[in-house]
Amino acid sequence: MKDNTRQIDQFILGSLDSLSVYTDGACSLNPGAGGWGAIFVAKNNDTFSISGFHPHTTNNRMEMMAVINALKAIDSFDVKLVHVYTDSMYVKNGITVWSKKWMKNNWRTSDNKSVKNQELWLELLDLSLRKNIEWHWVKGHSDNVFNNKVDLLAREALQQHTDKD
């Protein structure tokens, strides 16, 4: 993970009533090199961001990695309510609806295929049970300032690594 401003423990001092987290993932191809980003927004609009890269992945995996790494970053902090914003319907539906069905069906889809990215879904489910989380879908490339910033952050993470190759 890359920390773009300061250490997260300096960002989250003490206990927070709520924290908003915007996440996004990006790929050069699908599959291909990928980047992810997360922006944490406190009530006073103070922000902190993290980002990362993977050399060969898919867009869906990067969307999930953004959320997983965001939740890992705040796991040890006392945050009463976390609002997670994603422009990925795959992530939003997967965590709020599909995962319950997949667990009942022994991680099989309705057409009896193995669920893709099962290991990431299990990790995401585990992390999401540790906090009180409200999941939100936000339309990508809209007028949401933080969603636009995290989109840029994920693309920058991807670009920084692909420029080196």
Side-chain angles (χ1 to χ4, degrees), residues 80-96:
K80 292 177 180 46
L81 177 62
V82 180
H83 293 274
V84 176
Y85 295 86
T86 176
D87 61 8
S88 170
M89 287 302 288
Y90 177 72
V91 171
K92 168 80 167 46
N93 288 338
I95 197 69
T96 61

Side-chain angles (χ1 to χ4, degrees), residues 92-107:
K92 168 80 167 46
N93 288 338
I95 197 69
T96 61
V97 179
W98 301 337
S99 59
K100 293 173 183 99
K101 293 177 184 176
W102 294 333
M103 284 189 285
K104 284 182 184 176
N105 294 333
N106 199 27
W107 289 94

Side-chain angles (χ1 to χ4, degrees), residues 51-89:
S51 60
F53 170 81
H54 194 278
H56 188 74
T57 188
T58 65
N59 194 66
N60 283 344
R61 289 181 71 84
M62 286 295 87
E63 295 281 1
M64 294 175 73
M65 289 306 299
V67 179
I68 288 169
N69 284 302
L71 294 178
K72 282 181 178 179
I74 63 170
D75 190 40
S76 64
F77 295 99
D78 182 18
V79 180
K80 292 177 180 46
L81 177 62
V82 180
H83 293 274
V84 176
Y85 295 86
T86 176
D87 61 8
S88 170
M89 287 302 288

Side-chain angles (χ1 to χ4, degrees), residues 16-163:
L16 289 176
D17 286 334
S18 68
L19 181 67
S20 293
V21 182
Y22 291 81
T23 64
D24 205 357
C27 274
S28 57
L29 299 171
N30 201 17
W36 60 265
I39 296 178
F40 304 86
V41 184
K43 279 198 173 191
N44 60 0
N45 280 344
D46 190 18
T47 62
F48 176 83
S49 60
I50 58 175
S51 60
F53 170 81
H54 194 278
H56 188 74
T57 188
T58 65
N59 194 66
N60 283 344
R61 289 181 71 84
M62 286 295 87
E63 295 281 1
M64 294 175 73
M65 289 306 299
V67 179
I68 288 169
N69 284 302
L71 294 178
K72 282 181 178 179
I74 63 170
D75 190 40
S76 64
F77 295 99
D78 182 18
V79 180
K80 292 177 180 46
L81 177 62
V82 180
H83 293 274
V84 176
Y85 295 86
T86 176
D87 61 8
S88 170
M89 287 302 288
Y90 177 72
V91 171
K92 168 80 167 46
N93 288 338
I95 197 69
T96 61
V97 179
W98 301 337
S99 59
K100 293 173 183 99
K101 293 177 184 176
W102 294 333
M103 284 189 285
K104 284 182 184 176
N105 294 333
N106 199 27
W107 289 94
R108 309 292 290 178
T109 63
S110 57
D111 56 355
N112 204 28
K113 294 180 182 174
S114 292
V115 172
K116 290 182 181 179
N117 302 313
Q118 180 182 343
E119 77 286 358
L120 294 181
W121 286 118
L122 288 168
E123 186 173 13
L124 183 52
L125 283 167
D126 178 58
L127 288 164
S128 68
L129 293 174
R130 299 178 192 180
K131 299 278 184 219
N132 182 15
I133 298 175
E134 287 186 9
W135 298 92
H136 306 274
W137 178 79
V138 60
K139 184 177 180 182
H141 309 289
S142 63
D143 59 354
N144 186 299
V145 173
F146 293 113
N147 191 61
N148 291 338
K149 286 183 179 182
V150 77
D151 179 68
L152 182 61
L153 181 64
R155 292 182 189 289
E156 285 174 349
L158 170 62
Q159 194 63 46
Q160 286 173 356
H161 290 278
T162 54
D163 284 348

